[in-house]
Amino acid sequence: MPSPRVVIIGAGIVGSNLADELTSRGWTDVTVLDKGPIPLTGGSTSHAPGLVFQTNSSKTMTEFAAYTAAKLSTLSRPGCSAFNAVGGLEIATSERRLAELKRRHGWATAWGVESRLVDPAEAKALHPLIDEDLVLGGLHLPGDGLASAVLAVELLRERAQERGARLVGGVRVTGIERAGGRVTGVRTGDDVIPADLVVSAAGFWGPALGELIGMRVPLVPMAHQYVRTTPVRELAELADGVALGGSHIIGGGNTAALPILRHQDAGLYFRQHGESLGIGSYDHRPIAVGYDELPAVEGKDMDEHSMPSRLDFTPEDFEQAFKATKQLLPALEDAAIADAFNGIFSFTPDGGSLVGESPEVRGFFIAEAVWVTHSAGVAKAVAELLVDGQSATDLHELDVARFEEIQMQDEYVLETSKQSFVEVYDIKHPLEPRQSPRGLRVSPFHARQRELGGYFLEAAGWERPQWYEANRGLLDTLPSDWQPPARDDWSAQFDSPIAAAEAHATRTNVAMYDMTALKRLEVFGPGALGLLQRLTTGQIDKSVGSVTYTLMLTEAGGIRSDLTVARISEDLFQVGANGGQDLDYLTREAAGQTAANPQEWVQVRDTTGGTCCLGVWGPRARDLVQPLAAADLSNGGLKYFRAVSTTIAGIPVRVMRLSYVGELGWEIYTSAEYGQRLWDALWSAGSTFGLIAAGRSAFNSLRLEKGYRSWGTDMTTEHTPAEAGLDFAVRPAKGDFAGRPALEATAGTTPRRRLRCLTVDDGASMVLGKEPVYLDGTAAGYVTSAAFGHSVGKPVAYAWLPGHVEAGDTVEIEYFGTRIAATVQTEPLIDPEMAKIRA
């Protein structure tokens, strides 16, 4: 079978890597186009400083950086290499940053990257130019290094061409041809290059390419300052005799012996260029750049000093950065600026890359906002996506479908992308919300929540109450064994002891939770059942009113998502999903099914914004809700995992007997227009029961005690149901479903890893997630979710550990450099007999 016709738009470091990855997999009909000359195309690759640093809070991005370093190190020609493994050194000049380096060391350890914490003397030995007296400590990664991006592009081009690919420069893309909703070719002036697949790897030109098919690409070109100093005597001595690779940037000086140095406290990084030092600064105002502001340089007029992505330097923005540089590196006191520019890079609303297929045109993919650091790794993942239908590395953090509609608007993208620039080196708490824009998406209960002193965090634009100040007085009534522990300063951020009172009320009385922010879809039509049966692991063909917890899998058997599916009528299903990726996937599959068999048409509709949901849970939930409801909500009248359409206080609702906190109760859905009235009716009736409103902090604690997983945090496409402890959600007897052959191939084998429940032995030390877990003194896994278990009186964490680990085994969790003893537990910790939830 001939390989598909692939056109890649953009011959920078991502596009060239993708051509190499595709041709290495046997796809030879690959054409790479760029409007600039190759290899110096004039995009971000052409001026990139070439830093490849692996430390990242994201496991995915860490793996991509490690792959990039490994792959580029194989690219060389006589006398030069595309990668120079000089190592990386991050230094701290404040106690807060020193603590952050310990956290970053934990990430590296969790993701399998070699790193070590060093004292000031060791930091000085690694980078002799620093003022040791200013440094409190450092983090050294020997596998980090410098990429010569332009040389890499040239070597990748040569290799891809040898396998049959075509790389053509000086070609401007003017249109994307399509028919029947699929891409058919790429127009370049009067010519059309036929294509079955098109990948835009155009960097900051990505939004312009997206406009050709009506696809929003949430990316902003931003200027970032880079300087090369005049020769420095100490560097000249170090560079003497060194002939290693580096970065073809600002001409010459492409030798380096010193490690990459990052001074995040001042928003600075440094790399050696022979006798000179390169200085990159994020310590300046965010400078968004429009296409009309880029230099009009093309073809033969382009060189490393003159290109579309290189803007004039603004020295006033560099004054403070240069002062901070000379303080840290006294050897540069007399150095001057030899060359400098404001280089264009791509920034997105959350600082992440953008990968995925256009929802408008099948076969049109993007791979944008990818820096040299992760370039080869992202290209490998995209190649796997195209060739195999899925990436071996989970991509949900990069998927362009992760953004909601409001987050794709120009105003939002511009403001938040500027914020991403400012926060590149900031120390960010995992719960820390953005400060602006806020109030974009609020539930109908928002006014009432504010009256109760709700403390709101933000996710996907939604305002979500974390706890309520109105409940502070309940702390005085808590039993002694429910008193919240003292927390360290880090884990105490964005949390409150009030969560203990809210958890106690839920376990002992009744509480009301706003569940509106969770994605809700309706799948309907004569083909709705067939679609859901085909795409999920559970038995969906059950009676009207049934509710099913189920999984969607990749073809490799990884968990694409977990869903709650309620059968409302014969051809109508309400689906509780995890986000935009689920909507995108189900919509695509529905369109394909409808096109193949119009008699079995099916549609998917996002109902989240027009509806709302309250979770009413606790042992007295039935006492509160039943008198208001027209339907019989007794245990016999509405069993666990059943749904009914009824009224509550005269308000039309859908009631589902589900509980994500492990207590008796229901999820109650209604139209957004009735939301406040529903809240008021329940609140008024609950006054005699001591009803409270409770927030996400208590919710997370309760769900971990019950062992409920959170997709994207506890498990991803990289994990199978057996590994994640979700075998119960797989019903092989139902027949075929996506991913079933992969599950059958491993049936009966012991999982090599499992998601396990841990409790912290001292009953107080908190962890938050992504910390490494040690088994017999060796790093063996990492924490996914964690919270203080108020019901069990100790911190609870879930972690990926080797498959042979069993309940009762002891492990250690590293938290900011300190090992904390923990024990593997049988789960769930609360109500394993399910007596409470089925009462």
Side-chain angles (χ1 to χ4, degrees), residues 311-452:
L311 276 63
D312 290 340
F313 187 62
T314 51
E316 66 276 11
D317 290 311
F318 194 69
E319 290 177 0
Q320 184 57 42
F322 212 16
K323 289 179 182 177
T325 294
K326 293 181 178 182
Q327 288 176 343
L328 180 69
L329 308 173
L332 272 66
E333 181 59 40
D334 297 326
I337 296 174
D339 197 4
F341 65 95
N342 288 2
I344 304 299
F345 288 96
S346 302
F347 283 81
T348 63
D350 61 4
S353 300
L354 303 173
V355 173
E357 186 178 13
S358 163
E360 291 82 12
V361 180
R362 298 296 303 271
F364 184 92
F365 290 79
I366 67 170
E368 310 289 19
V370 182
W371 294 1
V372 171
T373 307
H374 309 105
S375 56
V378 170
K380 171 180 174 289
V382 174
E384 291 169 343
L385 195 63
L386 299 181
V387 176
D388 305 324
Q390 61 197 66
S391 165
T393 303
D394 179 70
L395 295 178
H396 84 273
E397 294 173 326
L398 288 73
D399 194 332
V400 68
R402 70 187 184 270
F403 294 112
E404 296 291 327
E405 183 179 14
I406 188 67
Q407 297 175 299
M408 301 286 279
Q409 305 310 307
D410 292 345
E411 296 83 357
Y412 183 94
V413 174
L414 178 60
E415 179 178 350
T416 55
S417 295
K418 285 182 176 181
Q419 186 176 341
S420 293
F421 178 91
V422 171
E423 295 177 346
V424 163
Y425 283 162
D426 281 5
I427 298 171
K428 299 288 289 183
H429 191 278
L431 293 177
E432 185 172 346
R434 66 173 71 254
Q435 297 304 307
S436 178
R438 291 293 295 269
L440 297 176
R441 307 173 80 187
V442 297
S443 79
F445 320 126
H446 188 68
R448 299 294 184 255
Q449 293 166 341
R450 288 175 62 88
E451 292 169 1
L452 294 172

Side-chain angles (χ1 to χ4, degrees), residues 215-293:
M215 178 183 182
R216 288 184 177 271
V217 178
L219 175 160
V220 175
M222 303 276 287
H224 162 57
Q225 293 199 305
Y226 194 83
V227 162
R228 183 171 63 85
T229 69
T230 54
V232 177
R233 177 178 56 80
E234 289 83 351
L235 287 176
E237 294 172 356
L238 286 168
D240 186 31
V242 177
L244 301 172
S247 176
H248 286 210
I249 180 170
I250 326 176
N254 62 342
T255 58
L258 292 179
I260 299 165
L261 177 64
R262 294 204 286 168
H263 180 18
Q264 288 107 318
D265 280 328
L268 293 167
Y269 64 83
F270 310 94
R271 58 144 299 169
Q272 185 182 358
H273 291 285
E275 300 179 342
S276 302
L277 194 70
I279 308 169
S281 172
Y282 292 103
D283 188 28
H284 60 81
R285 62 192 169 94
I287 307 172
V289 180
Y291 291 142
D292 58 348
E293 300 176 78

Side-chain angles (χ1 to χ4, degrees), residues 33-54:
L33 307 176
D34 203 293
K35 64 181 180 180
I38 303 174
L40 193 72
T41 63
S44 299
T45 298
S46 300
H47 65 70
L51 277 61
V52 178
F53 52 89
Q54 299 166 89

Side-chain angles (χ1 to χ4, degrees), residues 18 60 96 119 126 135 141 147 157 211 285 314 327 367 424 443 448 590 652 680 698 703 714 796-797 800 812 832:
L18 180 55
T60 292
R96 188 164 182 262
D119 61 25
L126 289 165
V135 176
L141 287 90
R157 175 176 72 161
E211 285 181 3
R285 62 192 169 94
T314 51
Q327 288 176 343
V424 163
S443 79
R448 299 294 184 255
D680 289 345
R703 70 99 179 168
D714 297 317
V796 178
W800 284 103
E812 291 180 308

